[in-house]
Amino acid sequence: MILPNIEYATSEMFVAAAAMVLLMIGVFRGEGSFRLVSALSVLVLVAAAVITVWMSPGDSRSAFAGMFVSNGYTTFLKVGILLAAAVGIVLSIGYNAREGIDRFEYPVLIVLAALGMMVMVSASDLLSLYIGLELQSLSLYVVAAIRRDSVKSSEAGLKYFVLGALASGMLLFGASLVYGFSGTTAFTGLAAQLTGASAPSVGLVVGLVFVMVGLAFKVSAVPFHMWTPDVYEGAPTPVTAFFAAAPKLAAMGLFMSVLAGPFGGLVEQWSQIVIVLAIASMVLGAFAAIAQTNIKRLMAYSSIGHVGYALVGLAAGTEDGYSAVLIYMAIYLVMTLGAFAAILAMQRSGRMVEEIGDLTGLSRTNPMMAGMMLIFMFSMAGIPPLAGFYAKLYVFLAAVEAGLYFLAVIGMVTSVVGAYYYIRIVKVMYFDEPEDALDPRPGRDLGAIQFVAGMATLLFFLFPSLLVGAADTAVFSLTGG
Amino acid sequence: MESWPLLSIVTFAPLVGALLILVMVRGDREATDRNARWLALWASLATFLISLLIWINFETGTADFQFVEKAAWFKFPGGYTLNYHMGVDGISMMFVLLSTLLTPICILCSWEIKSRVREYMAAFLVLETFMVGTFCALDLVTFYVFFEGVLLPMFLIIGVWGGDRRVYSAFKFFLYTLLGSVLMLVAVMAIYFLSKSAGQGTTDIVELLKFARETGFSAEAQKWLWLAFFASFAVKVPMWPVHTWLPDAHVEAPTAGSVILAGVLLKMGGYGFLRFSLPLFPDASVYFAPLVYTLSIVAIIYTSLVALAQEDMKKLIAYSSVAHMGFVTLGIFAATAQLSAGNLPDNLLGEQAVSGAMFQMLSHGIVSAALFLCVGVVYDRLHTRRIDRYGGLVHRMPRYAAVFMVFTLASVGLPGTSGFVGEFLVLFGVFQVNVWAAALAATGVILGAAYMLWLYRRIIFGELVKPDLMRMKDLHPREVAIFAPLVILVLWMGIWPEPFLDVFDASVKNLLTSFKAGVCRANEACFAAR
């Protein structure tokens, strides 16, 4: 056989082919095919998730001459990415139609971005990693600027593009250094060289640092976060919702598989960097969010903070830590998508509003939405018994296990600072009297997504083992498989 | 009866009630409010009856945990399976009863709440679930989930149904207590990994108590862990100087919120000291005893003086709570202060003091709750808490004056009331250990009499001259129904405290025995003597 094990890339091939078909449908049906293409895209993404689970090998299998790997870890991430992307498209349908950006390219671009993410988490070579990352990034640049006639949206797209290209350049430069000093770009080759080697060459470490800079940009860890608030605020809200979910999960998964896989032997070197990134992200995410009045900017800083917490698990550099990162990101994904579904439902006389003050008195005008938002906010603040608490519990357990007490204490204290701005939203919704009510029924799909995400967050404590078990299995194949 | 998961039922029955209220109660506004009230009352009364059933079946002679339930919950790193583990011993039994008793009273006294009745009642029932769960939990993580979960409904109760400065108070309450408890969470995680040195790490309280008796944490680790737990419990109790959230929260909370806050939430701190700090970190408890003593005595004297200067009734009672809780912390750490002198006597004193602290917590739970209810009665009529707006109420409200008198005297610690037994036992125990501390604390009793009696005089006695007081009505039947059980309890506990002391006697003895064993292990001389 020319390409052995090619069947383990079935879901990628399926998504790639489907994206082309969707594009054709859009082209031939012309304008007005947005809803059809969106619906089909959601179907494609869900089908791809099913295929991924179905085709998942019990152990680790590589294909394409070692460029591509499929195992429990990649399956976990891909399912998360595909479902988050599907929800992202569902969130956008009503909004895009209303705001006049109902172009069929939009869902196709999201499908392509999802394909890029699938390739990058499955990459087992620095080159295939780069290809996947760029496919994802280029799709996202376009999506951020999809509203061409809006200055803010164009600015967001441009900013994201310029800074993203810089980060990609850094990553590529780092990859070339790594290649120059080790003679290989394959993950297995790098891992073999680095484990057991006495002292790693300085050039290799420098290369690693550049690769990490590129990846830190993608997860928007401080100090490579500057693009996040502007892009989050400028991009159309469904795009922001998408950015906050799937690409974050993919980038974090990639960050982890790169550090734990090929560079696993350099754990002492990179964990110092990750600790600094984690502390900076948690502190900035907590303090900078306090002053925000725009809820999308607030979510941007909140996401920076959450990345910081997830990095705490990575900094531990243990299997428990990696599994904690996966648990954290999965819970974060659900909370974020739910919160954005609520933000998208913030309309007044049919127009979108996005100031925190617009939520005033929501508990009286729309108790259901306020209740769900309450759950998301307390959960993000990490108050038990909501899901966000367990997410924090696991990452900090990993940190304490690794002896990183100071990191755990700093993280806990910043989570109290962070709680301030989350409960401020609760205060606006519950303590203040309503002035100018939001529209009562902003769409059944948004309500359904809020409800499902809210219940998952609220009732997580009943069945935590499902997620914990899945994350443990995934991490086992990352480190042991 | 044995096979029934009674503790889970008593914990989650209110939650079921809350869900029913939120889901089932529909219709026009008036019907909704009425149904929500009655449903909440029935749910909380049913819970109270179940807790009485537990009390009746509770065996007093033993220090073992009873009504134990255990079920695997989720997996921790390292293969440890965390259990949902519930059980009560003498120390927690009474707090469970206190919580289930005060909740129906809170619901009754909130009968006149007008805005968002459905949500209000649901919030109180959710709060009850978390309170009862806190006292029943036998696993550190389970405990933490309940302990911190309390913040959620309480934050909403203060913030939504509170007074003018409710937002500030709610935020202060939330952030203060959260900051304290997150440090405890780090300590909980550390405990899991440190107890691993003896094989499998654990967060199970029963296992940990055994571990502390037999192996124990290193002296260095104990100090850090003790401080982290102290951060959480000292804020909750609250001890001086981290008490400042309490007056704000009390003043702005609705009456029922103050009742729960003073009656149950403050006791979680004292419970935490007894359940965790003393038995798990005995060396650190000895080491830090002077600190606790100093803070307690400052709390007793300083906050009593502050209470004297208050113009606001609720604030005065709030400060008196801080002072009374000072006696509690003093009593809890009496045994440790004895050991800090470096001697290890055969007869470990402090049993009276610890029992007294327990009793004082129960008594204060009822008395301060009742005092806030008394303030609520006149506040409902005149909508002010300023002391100088009242005077001469005895002429219009004789029944009210009598009830208020009982609780004022109980708060002062008059023999025959519950307040006397607690304070006497604490002072008696502390006196054997440290004469100076007892003497200074005793001045707090005098100051307590001063501010409480003065408050009573200014509100109840004197000429009835203020025109808006002329129309004040005496207690109506619902209010009598609220106060009657509390008056009976206060007198019962004061005249015949035996049944209450019996419940926690064995557990307190056991606590002190294992505490002494813990201290002994670290002390060479003690080993030699054996």
Side-chain angles (χ1 to χ4, degrees), chain B residues 285-405:
Chain B
S285 296
V286 171
Y287 181 80
F288 286 111
L291 172 75
V292 178
Y293 257 53
T294 313
L295 294 183
S296 304
I297 289 169
V298 172
I300 291 171
I301 296 175
Y302 168 78
T303 49
S304 296
L305 291 172
V306 175
L308 269 175
Q310 294 307 313
E311 295 295 323
D312 181 307
M313 294 196 269
K314 264 188 165 179
K315 240 183 182 152
L316 190 149
I317 298 169
Y319 279 109
S320 86
S321 283
V322 181
H324 281 125
M325 292 308 283
F327 279 100
V328 172
T329 46
L330 199 65
I332 290 174
F333 282 88
T336 67
Q338 181 194 11
L339 296 174
S340 58
N343 59 338
L344 280 162
D346 288 339
N347 177 20
L348 188 64
L349 302 173
E351 197 197 320
Q352 288 97 342
V354 176
S355 292
M358 271 296 297
F359 201 89
Q360 169 81 346
M361 279 199 269
L362 298 177
S363 159
H364 178 261
I366 293 171
V367 172
S368 68
L371 286 172
F372 280 114
L373 287 168
C374 287
V375 175
V377 165
V378 285
Y379 181 79
D380 282 347
R381 289 164 173 69
L382 209 60
H383 297 287
T384 178
R385 291 183 306 262
R386 289 192 60 83
I387 297 170
D388 53 15
R389 290 286 306 279
Y390 294 94
L393 286 182
V394 69
H395 303 291
R396 291 285 307 164
M397 309 173 75
R399 264 177 287 165
Y400 175 70
V403 167
F404 200 171
M405 172 69 93

Side-chain angles (χ1 to χ4, degrees), chain A residues 14 97 158 201 219 222 291 396 451:
Chain A
F14 169 71
L158 190 64
S201 71
V219 297
V222 178
F396 288 118
F451 185 76

